[in-house]
Amino acid sequence: MYRLLFARVISRVPAESVHHATLRALRAIQATPGAAPLLRRLLAPRDPALAVRALGLEFPGPLGLAAGFDKDAVAYEALGAFGFGHVEIGTVTGRPQPGNPSPRLFRLVPDRAVVNRMGFNNEGSEAAARRLRGRATGTIVGVNIGKTKAVPEASAAADYVASTERLAPHADYLVVNVSSPNTPGLRNLQAVEHLRPLLTAVREAADRSSRRRVPLLVKIAPDLADDDIDAVADLALELGLDGIIATNTTIGRDALLSPPALVKETGGLSGAPLKERSLDVLRRLRARTGGRLTLVSVGGVETADDVWERIRAGATLVQGYTGMIYGGPLWAHRVNRALSRRLRASAFRTLDEARR
């Protein structure tokens, strides 16, 4: 039914308009007493074998929603009720900013992909903190923080620290995003000489801002050279980070089937074309870290088989976003059910066993 609706209606409407309409519907669900809990009972992962313990948290399932969908923490409980084991909000910046001019979100339907150059459009970390303060505990919520575009690279650490101080008390985990291609100069911060002081400052800010130790992860780009991936992994171990999210969107455009005008749009590419590189990065990180970090795999995840492959390759958790765009609102629920069948048909009793 959703595929028909997508082909006949949704695909003819500008992508960002659909996104805003979807968020309005989710906000209405979240504001309606009893609606989200009811959906959670119907759609959340039910198989206890899918449960994952990571980052000091109990995840009901391994599949979460990647950052970028709920940028301002307005619908995380409703999204969690549709079957996601966790929801990562953001990217949130220290100051409010409008992002890049529209149009800035494009579907590449033949490739089951999306190009975005949103530019971290969000209402800022103060607004997100207000919405997360006193939140219900039904959904595990990660907070993805990035650099305000107007802040110079030399002042990036202070910008990240401001967001950390506001958001750490309300986050189940924090992610430092230095890998979006849509903020000029941001990816320069992935270089170890810049990343070390930044992550150190964020860790210190999180520790002084929250009564508990908030897990800290870093999100990297698929376009990093292999030696740079190794360097980030080594740094994460050195600094005692809790994990790495791999990967963000790519600036690559190899072997796409969509019309050239769409392929040439600037921005980050997500979806099916990212699958192979994302998996390669995951395997490299697993080999480099030897299971000492929580690895969250994202990029090209569409099916339960994709989730299973990532877990077998060393991922503790898996995230999707573009898969939901093409799969519809029940996408996570269907993936969880299929993953449960896959696990029970295997030689493993739990996902932890499959990952080993």
Side-chain angles (χ1 to χ4, degrees):
M1 179 65 75
Y2 179 79
R3 288 182 180 179
L4 181 62
L5 181 64
F6 183 90
R8 298 289 179 85
V9 180
I10 295 175
S11 64
R12 302 174 187 272
V13 179
E16 191 168 357
S17 297
V18 173
H19 178 79
H20 289 315
T22 303
L23 276 178
R24 286 194 294 270
L26 289 166
R27 293 180 76 165
I29 290 171
Q30 188 158 304
T32 302
L38 175 60
L39 283 171
R40 190 182 303 279
R41 285 196 294 272
L42 295 172
L43 301 176
R46 296 182 180 180
D47 188 347
L50 294 185
V52 176
R53 179 155 186 84
L55 305 174
L57 303 165
E58 293 286 348
F59 293 79
L63 179 63
L65 180 63
F69 190 89
D70 187 4
K71 294 178 180 293
D72 289 307
V74 298
Y76 52 87
E77 286 294 346
L79 285 161
F82 275 92
F84 289 104
H86 64 282
V87 174
E88 192 169 304
I89 66 117
T91 296
V92 179
T93 55
R95 308 175 194 173
Q97 59 183 28
N100 294 321
S102 297
R104 53 190 180 178
L105 186 63
F106 310 90
R107 305 183 197 93
L108 280 62
V109 177
D111 297 293
R112 303 189 313 282
V114 168
V115 169
N116 94 82
R117 53 170 178 264
M118 303 299 289
F120 290 170
N121 56 307
N122 74 108
E123 296 175 13
S125 54
E126 287 188 1
R130 285 197 302 271
R131 294 189 179 106
L132 292 172
R133 191 175 296 121
R135 66 182 174 88
T137 57
T139 300
I140 292 176
V141 178
V143 177
N144 185 300
I145 57 175
K147 184 181 82 68
T148 304
K149 183 177 180 179
V151 170
E153 189 175 317
S155 303
D159 192 54
Y160 279 92
V161 163
S163 293
T164 300
E165 290 174 341
R166 294 164 185 157
L167 291 163
H170 315 297
D172 288 312
Y173 67 87
L174 278 173
V175 182
V176 172
N177 184 352
V178 287
S179 51
S180 170
N182 298 316
T183 297
L186 184 71
R187 287 189 170 193
N188 296 338
L189 298 176
Q190 292 177 111
V192 168
E193 62 269 23
H194 301 303
L195 191 56
R196 178 181 280 106
L198 171 60
L199 293 174
T200 299
V202 169
R203 177 73 273 168
E204 292 173 352
D207 289 343
R208 66 174 174 264
S209 304
S210 178
R211 295 180 180 178
R212 59 189 173 83
R213 185 185 184 280
V214 182
L216 179 63
L217 301 88
V218 63
K219 187 169 185 175
I220 63 173
D223 308 311
L224 283 176
D226 288 346
D227 288 346
D228 293 327
I229 292 169
D230 292 345
V232 172
D234 294 344
L235 179 64
L237 292 170
E238 174 194 330
L239 297 180
L241 262 62
D242 298 276
I244 298 175
I245 299 183
T247 60
N248 212 317
T249 57
T250 180
I251 58 174
R253 297 291 191 272
D254 294 338
L256 298 179
L257 303 174
S258 296
L262 286 175
V263 172
K264 292 178 181 178
E265 292 288 355
T266 59
L269 176 74
S270 64
L274 193 52
K275 186 177 301 186
E276 183 176 341
R277 178 56 180 167
S278 177
L279 186 57
D280 287 345
V281 173
L282 169 65
R283 287 173 173 149
R284 190 169 191 92
L285 288 170
R286 174 67 174 188
R288 192 76 177 185
T289 61
R292 289 172 287 173
L293 293 175
T294 294
L295 300 180
V296 184
S297 186
V298 55
V301 174
E302 299 182 281
T303 67
D305 286 343
D306 293 331
V307 176
W308 180 257
E309 186 175 33
R310 305 301 171 97
I311 290 168
R312 296 287 287 141
T316 304
L317 299 167
V318 180
Q319 293 179 343
Y321 177 170
T322 307
M324 181 178 67
I325 292 175
Y326 289 100
L330 300 182
W331 175 70
H333 174 66
R334 292 197 306 271
V335 169
N336 286 325
R337 290 181 61 187
L339 182 62
S340 176
R341 293 193 295 268
R342 180 69 185 263
L343 175 60
R344 294 190 176 278
S346 75
F348 308 105
R349 293 173 299 172
T350 66
L351 294 179
D352 281 341
E353 288 183 7
R355 190 170 61 256
R356 298 191 193 103

